[in-house]
Amino acid sequence: LPPGSELAGKSNLTPQIHNKLQFLQKKYTDLAQQLSGDISQLDRQEMARLSKELSDASNVVEPYKRLLEQYSELIELQQMLNTPSLRSMAQEEREVLLGSIAATEQEIISALLPKDSAEQAGAILEIRAGTGGDEASLFCGDLLQMYEKYALLRGWKFSTVSMINDGERVREAIAQVSGRGVFGKLMFESGVHRVQRVPATETQGRIHTSTATVAVLPQATHVHVDIKESDLRIDVFRASGKGGQHVNTTDSAVRVTHLPSGVVVENQQERSQIQNKEKALLILRARLYERERQRLANERRASRNKLIGSGDRSEKCRTYNYAQNRVTDHRINFSLYDIEGFMNGTALQLVIDQLRIQHDLDELASME
């Protein structure tokens, strides 16, 4: 690191990481020399292996080279700060450069981590009202709208798969979010979300606390999860509702039970039994896929004292305090004072970015 710079003690790259980067840089140089030399003695399989190693190393080495150049620029700017006529310009350039350095460091950390293919998939979003009665159901609906607005801002497709509601009071909602990298962005949203505000029905102006649980599952395909028909029990029944046009007069609702795991999914959103079965299987496939992912993750982390980024629903992950115009994510002790922007989906990305940084750092630390 540049001596005496603002990065001292603040950089996310530890000395151990720098040592690893220098090792990869040397490996990259050696591989490049080997492949540019006499390769007549190498068979096709060995050529493919070396080429892949070179490509993988370049994903780390290229941003590392850029980072070293940025460090050199920072040293020059720090020296310019001692010249009164250049101080103002150098200060502005330094602020921009520090942001670029932070982004490059994060790019390096991400490149060092093993890739999880599930992060490139779409997601199944499950939101359920927790404690707090009607206010919890209203908050559940607010969260559903927040994620829909965020998805639209990202250019993703958002569709409601299933919903149990009474007007704006939503007891449970399941949505499918489609697009590239959806799960990688939304995976940190799993957990207990707490709201503190004065309900519309409160006449004394007292602040109530309510909760909703959010579970984000990677959208699985037939390739990820192969479900045998013999492992399923499918029951049909009449959909429930408030009465009148809301109640089907045919057995269109579907309950799917996966016998080996005991996972049960119900769907009555559509009037067609076939459509309800398809949506129930979509949710079932996602739940089984996530269960297997978590099992493998727990095995990898068995030697550690805690789970990192598990998204355990039992944890209180975030508080929405309307009176203070504050949203606080307790996992990283990060607060934003723009609750309207957050609920509109525009400020959510700021918290997701911070969660990603902490998640990647924790994952990298566990590998050292």
Side-chain angles (χ1 to χ4, degrees), residues 36-217:
S36 63
D38 183 10
I39 57 174
S40 58
Q41 302 301 316
L42 300 177
D43 59 29
R44 183 177 300 179
Q45 187 175 1
E46 181 68 5
M47 275 287 297
R49 184 185 67 81
L50 292 175
S51 296
K52 185 180 185 306
E53 285 188 19
L54 181 66
S55 176
D56 291 344
S58 69
N59 293 332
V60 178
V61 172
E62 292 303 322
Y64 184 52
K65 289 179 180 177
R66 187 166 72 250
L67 181 67
L68 294 178
E69 292 173 358
Q70 290 171 336
Y71 283 167
S72 297
E73 289 180 40
L74 186 60
I75 293 174
E76 293 177 6
L77 288 173
Q78 288 177 173
Q79 293 172 345
M80 290 169 63
L81 290 174
N82 298 323
T83 305
S85 60
L86 300 176
R87 184 174 298 136
S88 178
M89 180 189 69
Q91 182 67 37
E92 292 180 7
E93 292 185 9
R94 185 179 65 168
E95 292 302 317
V96 174
L97 183 58
L98 287 173
S100 298
I101 288 174
T104 304
E105 287 185 348
Q106 182 58 30
E107 181 182 349
I108 290 170
I109 290 171
S110 298
L112 285 170
L113 292 172
K115 300 297 181 287
D116 184 352
S117 61
E119 291 192 20
Q120 296 303 312
I124 299 297
L125 180 67
E126 302 184 359
I127 310 173
R128 294 179 177 83
T131 57
D134 285 348
E135 174 62 12
S137 297
L138 290 171
F139 180 50
C140 183
D142 291 342
L143 289 177
L144 181 66
Q145 290 182 21
M146 179 187 76
Y147 290 123
E148 182 173 11
K149 291 174 182 177
Y150 174 71
L152 292 175
L153 289 171
R154 303 287 305 183
W156 299 334
K157 182 181 178 182
F158 188 99
S159 57
T160 301
V161 176
S162 174
M163 184 184 297
I164 303 174
N165 68 304
D166 181 6
E168 294 182 352
R169 295 175 174 84
V170 179
R171 286 171 47 202
E172 175 184 296
I174 301 177
Q176 179 181 3
V177 191
S178 303
R180 183 171 178 79
V182 171
F183 181 69
K185 296 291 185 184
L186 293 180
M187 59 188 285
F188 305 111
E189 293 302 297
S190 292
V192 177
H193 295 238
R194 181 178 68 173
V195 62
Q196 295 174 323
R197 64 185 178 187
V198 179
T201 55
E202 172 58 55
T203 58
Q204 303 296 322
R206 292 172 297 186
I207 295 176
H208 288 223
T209 298
S210 306
T211 63
T213 62
V214 175
V216 182
L217 315 174

